[in-house]
Amino acid sequence: MKTIPVVLMGCGGVGRQLLHHIVSSRSLHAKLGVHLRVVGVCDSKSSIVVSDVLSMELDDKFLLELCQLKSNGSSLLTLSTTSGVEYQVLTNSDSTTKLIDIAALLGKSMGLALVDCSASSETIGVMKQVVDLGCCVVMANKKPLTSTMEDYDKLVSHPRRIRHESTVGAGLPVIASLNRILSSGDSVHRIVGSLSGTLGYVMSEVGDGKPLSQVVKAAKNLGYTEPDPRDDLSGMDVARKALILARLLGRRINLDSIKIESLYPEVMGSNVMSVEDFLDDGLLLLDKDIQERVNKASLNGNVLRYVCVIEGSRCEVGIQELPKDSPLGRLRGSDNVLEIYSGCYSEQPLVIQGAGAGNDTTAAGVLADILDIQDLFPEK
């Protein structure tokens, strides 16, 4: 049996779903000869760590109580559990030091998987330190890999000990597929992809003639968008995913190198217009332009999709006209689609398609990444 000590950073929707997946998959993991021993969980304000990280763990009952607490919007500091687990509660100021201590203790002996399911850039400092301590890093958080090139180089300096599939396509095998292509010596010369479930849904719906304002409100009601839909409509999330892919291909660029098309003008930004005003008034002003672009594309036998394009020195995200019968043109709903063109896949691209959004799918991708590093941990 291999035991993988785990510390989770981030107790939002993905982090909580990951803990649920870990608990519900115990019997399966036992058959695989693996046990995930959760020794610590952190939110944005505090951390909970077992008293003895060498031998103890946060048991399943404790983890489920913790998830319930966080789903109610409470801080870990308020946790009062009926579980008999001995643990420490640390405030933010002490958490970083404790995480480094745990990494130093476990990293070079039994190993440690540090899992970042937050949406914060504040985890970068910790992660840069633990990679030199023999730890493995698993990320759903895109910000560490889209920080400076210096930060990026540090995080990927031990490639066997890093997994970040869920930073780009949730549970889809995007990073793994690209790594296999590149390690074979094949050269990737073009990537085109719809990598936002929200924008994929929006563009396919406006293509059916529905007004953008109506579609965005529907997407919000379905839970596809962030609380402020402009976080999706800005294209920044897609740009971060494009940057991760471009860097994987060897492009040494930063976010400001990417041309990003926002679906709304700066005068409708969050520093100017409230979410309510944007939904009630701002969106209506965007309907005409989008509908005209949809009509123009239709006359050309094409459809509009919000995509990332990586080709040569070009790296941009925005609306593109694409053939209706292409994989991206056939895209419906919130699926993600990625087309990879390389020496081996020159005429017919490698197409990766499937659910690319949702806490459940993303958490499943993170869990698969954790299990993928099990060979780096010793048998018990």
Side-chain angles (χ1 to χ4, degrees), residues 6 8 17 61 70 78 102 140 153 165 181 206 211 219 222 230 253 260 276 304 317 330 333 343 345 355 361 373:
V6 174
L8 170 64
Q17 192 61 55
K61 179 181 179 182
K70 291 302 300 179
T78 64
I102 294 172
D153 288 341
E165 193 69 78
I181 291 172
V206 296
L222 289 168
R230 287 170 295 189
I253 60 174
I260 306 170
E276 292 74 18
L304 298 183
V317 300
R330 293 192 297 268
Y345 301 97
T361 306
I373 57 176

Side-chain angles (χ1 to χ4, degrees), residues 157-304:
S157 58
H158 300 285
R160 291 190 64 227
R161 300 205 303 261
I162 182 172
R163 297 291 185 278
H164 57 95
E165 193 69 78
S166 295
T167 60
V168 174
L172 296 177
V174 173
I175 303 300
S177 298
L178 270 175
N179 277 330
R180 286 176 64 87
I181 291 172
L182 296 171
S183 62
S184 74
D186 193 4
S187 58
V188 175
H189 53 80
R190 177 177 167 85
I191 293 177
V192 186
S194 176
L195 295 174
S196 165
T198 302
L199 292 175
Y201 171 83
V202 167
M203 299 313 298
S204 62
E205 290 290 295
V206 296
D208 289 342
K210 298 175 184 176
L212 177 70
S213 55
Q214 176 185 321
V215 171
V216 171
K217 290 176 184 177
K220 188 175 189 299
N221 291 334
L222 289 168
Y224 289 167
T225 74
E226 295 295 328
D228 185 344
R230 287 170 295 189
D231 292 343
D232 301 288
L233 301 179
S234 69
M236 183 56 70
D237 181 65
V238 179
R240 289 187 185 279
K241 294 175 180 179
L243 180 57
I244 290 171
L245 294 177
R247 285 178 168 179
L248 194 64
L249 298 183
R251 316 286 197 268
R252 298 188 65 78
I253 60 174
N254 295 310
L255 265 178
D256 57 12
S257 307
I258 300 177
K259 181 181 177 183
I260 306 170
E261 178 182 3
S262 173
L263 296 191
Y264 64 89
E266 289 185 12
V267 293
M268 294 184 190
S270 58
N271 58 335
V272 178
M273 187 178 284
S274 69
V275 177
E276 292 74 18
D277 287 343
F278 177 72
L279 290 170
D280 293 340
D281 304 317
L283 273 173
L284 292 171
L285 300 175
L286 305 177
D287 285 344
K288 182 180 178 181
D289 177 65
I290 289 294
Q291 192 56 54
E292 288 177 351
R293 294 176 71 173
V294 168
N295 294 339
K296 179 184 175 183
S298 181
L299 289 174
N300 296 329
N302 296 326
V303 291
L304 298 183

